[in-house]
Amino acid sequence: MAPHDDWRERQESATVTVEGHELEVAYYDEGDGPDPPVLFVHGIPTWSFLWRDVAPAFAGDRRVIAPDLAGYGESSMYDGFDRSIRAQEAVLGALLDELGVDSCVLVGHDIGGGVGVRLAVNDPGRIEALVLSNATVYDSWPIEFIVDLGLPSTIRTMSVEECRETLSEAYRDTLHGDPTEAFVEGMCSQWDTEEAVVSLGRNAIATNTNHTTEIAYGEIEAETLLLWGTEDDEQPIEDAERLAEDLPNATLAPVENAGHWVPEDRSTEYRERLAAFLDS
């Protein structure tokens, strides 16, 4: 069994209603331990499989939850609902309510980090601590590649095969060092239907800079770890340095020799540094 199929076998599903739309949200949920649980949130164009080498390591000591955002992975992909960061914030809030989670430590990568900072401002009681990794913050996004994926002309003409080829190349080019085939194949596997290709385009066009420029970053009181790959051209370490100045309780923790996919590039170091943060 391929690693991504094994991950799917371990997922559960819940139905949430957001802005009148019923959405199936797939999620990994294992472990039982002292509160708060740890919520791992992926970005675009990944899914919860991003955390396969990180999240399960913590399930022996605490509850660990890793959802697929709406429009990604095994969650609903049908056309006709909002997939913006603002909408994903509502999806995660509804999922946590469904799972009986009052508060959590949120570990967010890419737009998952953007969702995390919104929750930390808008629902501060929900977020006990925050870990941001190469997150979409301020006006650092969307990047040209993602915008192009969301253009109607792209969505209408891109085949499943072309989508897989485009994304496979993108994943390989942005991994730091030799790409892991399990990562590339696992990430591409979610986009293997025509519905999924449209969903990817809708996810891409929903990237809205305003949803992270409107945030009052100075109001984020949660203790925050900025576990950030230093070799990322799109969400650069300078953004983490700015966050370290703007957030009252933030600690900058650069991860050397890691690019945008820092949980994949340096999974062992990532686990160790996250464990130290959680233990503290």
Side-chain angles (χ1 to χ4, degrees):
M1 180 183 293
H4 52 273
D5 290 328
D6 177 66
W7 184 262
R8 288 188 175 96
E9 289 279 324
R10 301 165 75 177
Q11 287 184 293
E12 303 175 50
S13 182
T15 303
V16 302
T17 302
V18 176
E19 296 179 351
H21 299 284
E22 282 197 357
L23 303 172
E24 291 295 319
V25 180
Y27 60 95
Y28 167 94
D29 185 357
E30 289 190 1
D32 185 21
D35 286 337
V38 185
L39 179 71
F40 290 87
V41 189
H42 68 87
I44 186 173
T46 62
W47 57 300
S48 60
F49 184 67
L50 173 72
W51 303 109
R52 74 194 189 285
D53 289 333
V54 176
F58 296 92
D61 299 320
R62 60 183 72 232
R63 186 179 183 185
V64 172
I65 304 166
D68 293 341
L69 294 175
Y72 297 80
E74 294 299 295
S75 292
S76 290
M77 284 191 176
Y78 68 84
D79 202 11
F81 61 87
D82 187 8
R83 297 103 184 286
S84 67
I85 279 187
R86 187 180 288 166
Q88 302 290 2
E89 175 188 4
V91 170
L92 283 189
L95 177 64
L96 292 175
D97 288 342
E98 184 71 19
L99 299 181
V101 176
D102 295 325
S103 64
C104 65
V105 175
L106 190 148
V107 182
H109 175 261
D110 192 81
I111 68 168
V115 174
V117 294
R118 287 190 61 89
L119 280 169
V121 170
N122 297 328
D123 194 2
R126 182 80 84 176
I127 305 300
E128 291 207 14
L130 192 59
V131 180
L132 301 177
S133 294
N134 298 74
T136 54
V137 291
Y138 304 116
D139 61 351
S140 68
W141 69 300
I143 62 173
E144 185 176 358
F145 171 71
I146 295 298
V147 172
D148 289 346
L149 282 177
L151 295 175
S153 57
T154 302
I155 298 169
R156 291 168 184 162
T157 60
M158 180 178 283
S159 68
V160 171
E161 293 74 19
E162 289 169 333
C163 180
R164 169 175 275 272
E165 182 178 344
T166 297
L167 289 178
S168 176
E169 182 179 348
Y171 293 130
R172 294 176 193 279
D173 287 348
T174 51
L175 284 162
H176 195 73
D178 294 331
T180 304
E181 289 304 315
F183 175 82
V184 175
E185 287 302 307
M187 290 305 158
C188 288
S189 70
Q190 65 180 313
W191 311 118
D192 273 354
T193 66
E194 292 182 2
E195 179 185 58
V197 173
V198 173
S199 186
L200 173 63
R202 303 299 189 229
N203 297 340
I205 205 66
T207 50
N208 188 333
T209 314
N210 295 325
H211 293 175
T212 49
T213 56
E214 69 179 0
I215 295 171
Y217 289 88
E219 294 181 5
I220 297 176
E221 297 182 356
E223 185 175 357
T224 302
L225 180 68
L226 305 170
L227 196 52
W228 210 280
T230 61
E231 308 302 317
D232 187 352
D233 292 332
E234 307 301 343
Q235 273 73 49
I237 190 66
E238 287 78 13
D239 287 345
E241 293 168 348
R242 182 178 172 187
L243 284 168
E245 293 181 0
D246 289 348
L247 274 59
N249 297 305
T251 300
L252 180 61
V255 181
E256 303 292 338
N257 299 314
H260 182 68
W261 311 110
V262 58
E264 177 70 18
D265 288 337
R266 293 290 176 268
S267 56
T268 299
E269 181 178 351
Y270 196 95
R271 288 195 305 268
E272 291 172 349
R273 297 177 76 169
L274 177 56
F277 177 72
L278 295 176
D279 289 344
S280 68

